[in-house]
Amino acid sequence: MSDFVIGRRELYILPTRIGWYYALILIALLAIAVKFDNQPAFMMLFVLASIGMVAMLYTHNNVIGLNLNSKPSRSVFVGENAIFPINVENKSRSQRRAVWLVCDGYHQLINLRAQEQQEASLKLPTIKRGYLNCASVIITSRFPIGIFFCWTKRFNPEHRCLVYPQPLKLHPFPEQGEASSAKSLSHRSISNAEDYSGMKPYQPGDRLRDVHWPSLAKTQKLVTIEHQDRTGDSVSLSWFSLPPNMGVEDKLSQLCQWVIEADAADLRYQLELPNHTEQFASGDAHYHKCLSTLALWESHEAA
Amino acid sequence: MKLLNKFKISLPPLPTAPPTHTPQRRTLLLLTVLVAIAVFSHFLLGHLVIVVYGVIIWALKAASIARVAAAPPRWMVMVFTILSFVLVLVLYGGWNGQRAGISFLVLLAALKFLESQSLRDYYLVCLILLFLASSSFLFNSSLMSIVVVLCYTIGTIAIMLRLSDPSPEHHGSALITSSTILVKALPLAVLLFFFFPRIHGNFGFIPSQDDLRGDSQLNDSLVAGDFANSAFSNEPAFRVEFEGSTPPKNLLYWRAKVMIDERNFAWEVRRPDANTFRTVRDMPPRTAEEDQLIKYQIVHEPSEDDFLPYLDYAYNPEHGMQLPDASVFRFKKESGLFAYNGEASRFPNMPEPQNQGRLANQSELLSTRSVPSARVQALMRGWRNNARRPSDLVDQALAYMRENAFEYSLTPPGLGDDPVDEFLFETRSGYCEHYASTFTILMRWLGIPARVVVGYQGGTQNVVGNYLQVRYSDAHAWSEVWIDNRWQRVDPTAVSSLGEQRISQGMAALLALWEDDLIDRNAASLTDYLNPSSYERAIRRLRDSWDNMGYQWNKWVINYDFNAQKTLLTNLGFEHRNSVYTLLGLLIASVMAMMLFYFWQLIPKAIKLGEAQQTYLRFIGRLKKFELLKEPAETPLEFAERATAQLPLYENQINEITENYLQLRYGKDPGSLEKFQALVKHFKPTSKPAGNNSIS
């Protein structure tokens, strides 16, 4: 875990457009002062010029010495925002104000007191499955008076985000492999109220019919109804049970949806893909294993 | 690109500007206030119509900000802009002129403010306001105005701060931060101010100087009654700093204008012509012994006058040209304050003979427009009979005034057709013009060449700054007579009652006397003035302090021109260098030094580890050889647990050190640092089981 420290060689500073206008005003003031030999005008000219120079130091010192390091990010499904937590630390005795963290169109304002550290969550859109590398992060600031701005070299966070395929519900959940499970599934679809076991916040992949809509109206939050534990039931989620005319991504999306449903129903499930099978299991580890297999399907990256 | 790679040079990344944002409403409201101050204070300078127009534009924007409404449509801004062009052109008759320029700037600020929508627009409004505040010095450069302008600058910078930093929790401290920036900028500014080479130049695109308005000055003609008005003008005319002590008041005759042409009791200055200048060129320079000279420096308030006051008699005036009548004429008029050095003889009553004792224009100096009346003729006949020398005539005339109780008054009765006769026999009351006129006319009738001199007499000593302040109320007129082949100063006012006080105590004393009632005067209040109570003294001291601040400001800042800069360089020991390069060198050196200093001062420094932390690090270092490395995320307790597991023999010591350290760093009741240091010092773990380790 290497820190990115903004040293003097990582920091660049230039006047902003307003800064050039500021220089223009100073030149005009110089012309006035020289033409009328007006000493107070000279005085004000030098006061403003010195303010400009002090502001330049302020801008430079506002950013120099900041430490950046990245933290692992949670996996998300395609379509959701990948969130890269970046830790910004100010190890110095002076406060840092109005520092912008810019990352590929996303930006966040950060204020740090002396010796404070803050976590910025960079949100990047996901458009395809697989590993998503965080775009380079740049720190920029026009503090204090906007006539200078500084920017840093690019910081490339080492952590990447695993993006699972987008769950798509194109085909019904497959029949359970065992007879008892099949009965149980049909049983569940009929009488939901009986195996009601509680409510939980909505997670992507939850079935729409499980969403408790009245709560949405009341609390503005999506809540799904949880069903009773169903250990013992098992199902095979197979690539080969899908129609062959489906596209590869659609198949992966459908499998992804099924994995979610199976996990939500707490079934034991296996995932069958060409040349690869995740054996029957349940639990979080298995769930994520299956999803990452789907995410990295036919890609050359190692899991 | 290949070349760059070859030399392993990497280009810096392309600039990434910080994202913009919509300014907050509170910031905009504050900006509205600043623009209002600019627009409303313009009525001091600009045309009323411009001010009203500016207020209308401002009010439109203020309303839209207050109601969070959209900015006005573009065509409206265009119409307003065209209208303001027309207004400035019509009201000032063109572009040329500072007043037109500043009016246009004010309208520009208001218009830009009106059309502002984005962050950059509001920044630009701030920049225009900064420029406006700075250029206001063309009209007023008093000490008060710089205080006001600096405050305004702080306010504007605070707005720029709030525009750059959108986090609302910082907005309270914006004013403090901008003041800090200004305070840090001031030393740099002072260095720049003193070392920046003053060049002269003319830029065509800058509006030219407006004509100065007729400020108070000495008139070029002397008509009885003029000075009575100026007596109440408390405006300062100039301030004088003497080398050494200030001479006594009755020697302080500031000579400005010499009047030769008399016209029915009124006198006029003759302006120098080409002939005069030719005479001046041929005149030998006047020299005097160095130790006989009084040296002084005058800082003169802005004035349109062609003649400069110098202490009687002036030697080698620094500023202006000394004419044959010893008055000093200047060709170039400064737009603002100006300073010059002067030298005067210590024996002002005895100037050396001029032109080998021959008067070139004797007939002019004897001509009068009137003839003496019978009474006056009889009087003069009596003086002539008693006089053996011309100086006796002067003494007799003065004695006549003294014996007949002539009175000095600012409200004398009016004089009729024969003013000399009436003044000598009837009213016997008047002020300096009456005395000087009458006396000069009498002398001319008696055959002695005489002239009237107008200037200032006396002044008020500023006890705080140790300089003499001469006001327009100190204006005075006296006579000069040509006797024994030299001009001699005669002040007939001095022989009148109260006139003597006027000369020896100064006009301020007399004005204090007349403060309550111009007619009724008693001697007690004059004594009161000269021996003030402690309260009065404190008030005067306060007033002097304030005036002194203004004077020092004028002397060091307003008047810091090319010459003053040269003097400074000489004092710094750079006498024989080319001043521009020396100045530039000094400028760059000092500014770089200052910036470096700031750079080190302002650069954020990491907090140094405390003693306890350093000692603890030493403790960790001791454990390194057992391959016990403390992870950054590990707490001291966790580390201790790991260490004791590996080194069970030292369990007690490790635990004690850790406990002490935690107590020192985080405990409510910090333990003793020495004890902790001693513990670490004695902690010398070896790989062999140490049997002798004792628990201290």
Side-chain angles (χ1 to χ4, degrees), chain B residues 483-500:
Chain B
I483 291 175
D484 298 341
N485 286 335
R486 63 168 63 120
W487 283 108
Q488 299 196 11
R489 183 175 70 219
V490 179
D491 189 354
T493 313
V495 299
S496 61
S497 79
L498 285 175
E500 197 253 323

Side-chain angles (χ1 to χ4, degrees), chain B residues 13-24:
Chain B
L14 286 177
T16 309
T20 55
H21 55 94
T22 327
Q24 283 176 357

